[in-house]
Amino acid sequence: MLRGLDGLSEDALARWTEDSLATGQHRLAHGYQGQTLLYQDKHRRLVIKAPAGRGIHKWIATLMLRHEARVYAQLTDFPAAPRCHGLLRKRYLVLEYIEGAPARHAGIADREAFFAELLGHIKTLHARGIAHSDLQKQDNLLLVDGRHPCLLDFGAAVIRKSGFAPFNHFHYRFAARLDFNQWAKFKYQGRLERMSAADRVYYRRTRIERLARALKRVWRTLRA
């Protein structure tokens, strides 16, 4: 059941979604996980995420959207993410549309203020037991009103389970570390040698990142 969409029939929105998918209209983006549609009427704009593919591919994509809906359910008053209206017909994720530009390509007037705010949001996510883990993708972080960060696409987010769950806890710690590392890389635009002492406490390469860095050095040496 959808929430906060007074005056908009779920059946009408479902028909619009399925007609748009069939005709290829109203598409915002299309990736391996699914399609993203933009719905507009005189009252609102919505983003609708639909699973892609057929068979097991579509089943997995649908599970990922349901997982994303569970993440959003823990972010009901989180100021730096779209409002989630719920799942439509258990397979279409309905979100508030956020007006903004990909932060990596937008002019951030006050970088210190922007990254301080972003760091605070990451810490809030982690305090709620959620790690985004996918901030390196350029479309997952918006610049809103020229000043504020907004986080999108929680499909790869990790929810920390309570109780004894060693694999989940390991996965969560790894994802949380990625959040901080990606924040630092973005803030310093990859020039980590310029990182301040205050920010260095948030950056620590994972084993995968260290391996990738070593492989890059080998590749550059071979090319030279």
Side-chain angles (χ1 to χ4, degrees):
M1 182 176 179
L2 299 183
R3 303 173 296 276
L5 293 177
D6 296 340
L8 180 58
S9 160
E10 290 192 24
D11 286 340
L13 185 58
R15 287 194 299 272
W16 178 93
T17 299
E18 288 165 357
D19 287 346
S20 298
L21 292 171
T23 60
Q25 294 180 300
H26 312 295
R27 183 184 293 175
L28 274 176
H30 185 224
Y32 72 95
Q33 292 181 355
Q35 297 185 45
T36 304
L37 308 174
L38 175 63
Y39 171 87
Q40 300 184 77
D41 61 27
K42 62 182 180 180
H43 301 294
R44 74 205 102 216
R45 286 192 290 177
L46 303 171
V47 171
I48 300 174
K49 299 179 71 171
R54 297 180 180 179
I56 191 168
H57 181 192
K58 188 171 185 177
W59 177 73
I60 292 171
T62 301
L63 289 181
M64 292 182 71
L65 287 178
R66 291 175 182 172
H67 166 76
E68 189 169 2
R70 289 194 294 272
V71 174
Y72 276 111
Q74 296 186 212
L75 298 177
T76 52
D77 58 347
F78 181 66
R83 179 184 180 188
C84 179
H85 297 284
L87 280 170
L88 179 64
R89 294 192 173 173
K90 298 183 179 181
R91 60 183 179 274
Y92 305 126
L93 185 65
V94 182
L95 302 168
E96 169 192 18
Y97 176 82
I98 301 294
E99 187 72 54
R104 294 181 190 278
H105 300 296
I108 302 173
D110 188 338
R111 291 182 64 84
E112 281 300 320
F114 177 87
F115 284 102
E117 185 176 347
L118 177 57
L119 180 61
H121 291 320
I122 291 172
K123 290 179 178 180
T124 298
L125 283 180
H126 295 176
R128 297 189 186 193
I130 296 170
H132 187 284
S133 85
D134 206 15
L135 293 176
Q136 80 274 11
K137 288 188 179 177
Q138 64 180 22
D139 293 335
N140 287 352
L141 182 62
L142 291 185
L143 178 67
V144 179
D145 295 331
R147 296 184 302 160
H148 302 295
C150 180
L151 284 66
L152 305 179
D153 195 352
F154 287 82
V158 181
I159 302 174
R160 190 183 190 280
K161 295 179 180 178
S162 58
F164 182 74
F167 178 76
N168 168 264
H169 294 174
F170 172 81
H171 188 194
Y172 171 81
R173 288 193 299 271
F174 177 80
R177 172 50 46 202
L178 286 181
D179 287 348
F180 285 128
N181 288 358
Q182 289 156 6
W183 171 84
K185 289 176 183 178
F186 183 21
K187 179 175 180 178
Y188 290 94
Q189 299 175 309
R191 305 190 69 173
L192 299 177
E193 70 278 5
R194 297 185 175 183
M195 195 182 309
S196 69
D199 287 344
R200 196 166 292 280
V201 299
Y202 297 107
Y203 182 77
R204 187 171 68 251
R205 290 193 187 100
T206 65
R207 291 180 181 178
I208 292 175
E209 288 174 313
R210 289 197 295 268
L211 176 60
R213 188 178 179 86
L215 290 174
K216 284 181 181 179
R217 284 199 298 266
V218 171
W219 174 245
R220 288 169 184 160
T221 300
L222 292 173
R223 289 185 65 186

